Amino acid sequence: GAGVSQSPSNKVTEKGKDVELRCDPISGHTALYWYRQSLGQGLEFLIYFQGNSAPDKSGLPSDRFSAERTGGSVSTLTIQRTQQEDSAVYLCASRPKGSYNEQFFGPGTRLTVL
Amino acid sequence: AQSVTQLDSHVSVSEGTPVLLRCNYSSSYSPSLFWYVQHPNKGLQLLLKYTSAATLVKGINGFEAEFKKSETSFHLTKPSAHMSDAAEYFCVVRDQTGANNLFFGTGTRLTVIP
């Protein structure tokens, strides 16, 4: 079946511009995560959605970052006034309800801020 | 708090020789531990997982990992490396409170020499 998909695969933007990154989780998966992978580093947790509950935003690095999940499915990560340090690969993952032991990752969006 | 430490940022082996990628964990709870692999320009893929069942865990592509509580280790091994094993490997521990998000190590890049 279809896995987690993300778009765009690559995004180049100028410093100060806003960007939107999209994630389509696996159908039926209730939990959705966003992570950031900076060059030479492991993944950093950003935000977590579970069903209709309020999202866990504890990993967002600044108030320039926000995310929505509409209808319990597609999610959009928005970065406002991008900075060069925002350059990274942004990964989305989903998992089914009640299964805490595996997250299924998308291919990521590589963001480059010039 | 949970965390993992990958002791080697880069490991190089010859094709057909054993692979050892080291990981130590820190967890206040009985941990859930994972190894993920990331091939170039591909998404993260789960190799194997430990969830307090058998301490020796077998994964895909001939990889294994052994959970050793006394050493707080979860090293990844494979008896004989293939060229296709060249990738980035991440040791991961699951947060067992709140979001159940994953804490990633900084990764080990495996190079396989023909």
Side-chain angles (χ1 to χ4, degrees):
Chain A
V4 177
S5 61
Q6 293 185 245
S7 60
S9 55
N10 280 283
K11 176 71 176 179
V12 180
T13 191
E14 294 179 348
K15 179 181 173 181
K17 301 276 189 179
D18 298 351
V19 295
E20 286 190 351
L21 312 179
R22 178 187 168 105
C23 171
D24 282 89
I26 294 172
S27 177
H29 282 195
T30 56
L32 186 148
Y33 300 79
W34 283 97
Y35 294 87
R36 177 169 70 175
Q37 184 176 24
S38 301
L39 188 63
Q41 299 186 23
L43 273 70
E44 172 191 13
F45 166 73
L46 297 177
I47 189 169
Y48 160 66
F49 295 89
Q50 173 61 62
N52 296 321
S53 302
D56 180 339
K57 305 178 183 180
S58 59
L60 294 178
S62 78
D63 59 7
R64 295 187 294 105
F65 288 71
S66 62
E68 291 184 339
R69 189 178 184 193
T70 54
S73 180
V74 171
S75 177
T76 302
L77 177 69
T78 301
I79 309 173
Q80 295 178 310
R81 306 181 302 283
T82 52
Q83 304 294 312
Q84 287 184 332
E85 60 262 28
D86 299 334
S87 297
V89 177
Y90 289 82
L91 289 160
C92 175
S94 70
R95 65 168 172 80
K97 182 179 181 180
S99 170
Y100 297 105
N101 290 320
E102 182 172 0
Q103 295 182 16
F104 296 81
F105 283 83
T109 293
R110 182 175 297 279
L111 175 65
T112 303
V113 182
L114 302 176
Chain B
Q2 296 86 38
S3 67
V4 289
T5 301
Q6 292 184 245
L7 302 169
D8 306 293
S9 59
H10 188 202
V11 169
S12 185
V13 300
S14 296
E15 189 176 17
T17 64
V19 176
L20 170 64
L21 305 183
R22 298 183 293 165
C23 173
N24 285 97
Y25 71 88
S26 173
S27 177
S28 306
Y29 307 89
S30 179
S32 291
L33 294 161
F34 310 80
W35 277 96
Y36 277 82
V37 61
Q38 187 176 38
H39 287 92
N41 301 315
K42 298 269 184 77
L44 283 159
Q45 181 182 20
L46 180 67
L47 269 182
L48 49 80
K49 59 188 177 187
Y50 167 77
T51 57
S52 75
T55 56
L56 181 62
V57 181
K58 294 185 183 297
I60 61 172
N61 301 334
F63 283 92
E64 294 183 346
E66 186 170 8
F67 174 74
K68 292 187 176 180
K69 186 175 180 179
S70 61
E71 299 177 8
T72 61
S73 69
F74 190 58
H75 300 335
L76 182 70
T77 61
K78 182 173 181 177
S80 175
H82 294 164
M83 295 299 296
S84 59
D85 294 329
E88 188 91 17
Y89 291 80
F90 293 94
C91 182
V92 181
V93 63
R94 178 171 65 83
D95 175 20
Q96 299 189 56
T97 63
N100 285 287
N101 58 292
L102 302 177
F103 292 99
F104 281 73
T106 51
T108 298
R109 180 166 299 278
L110 176 65
T111 298
V112 182
I113 303 167

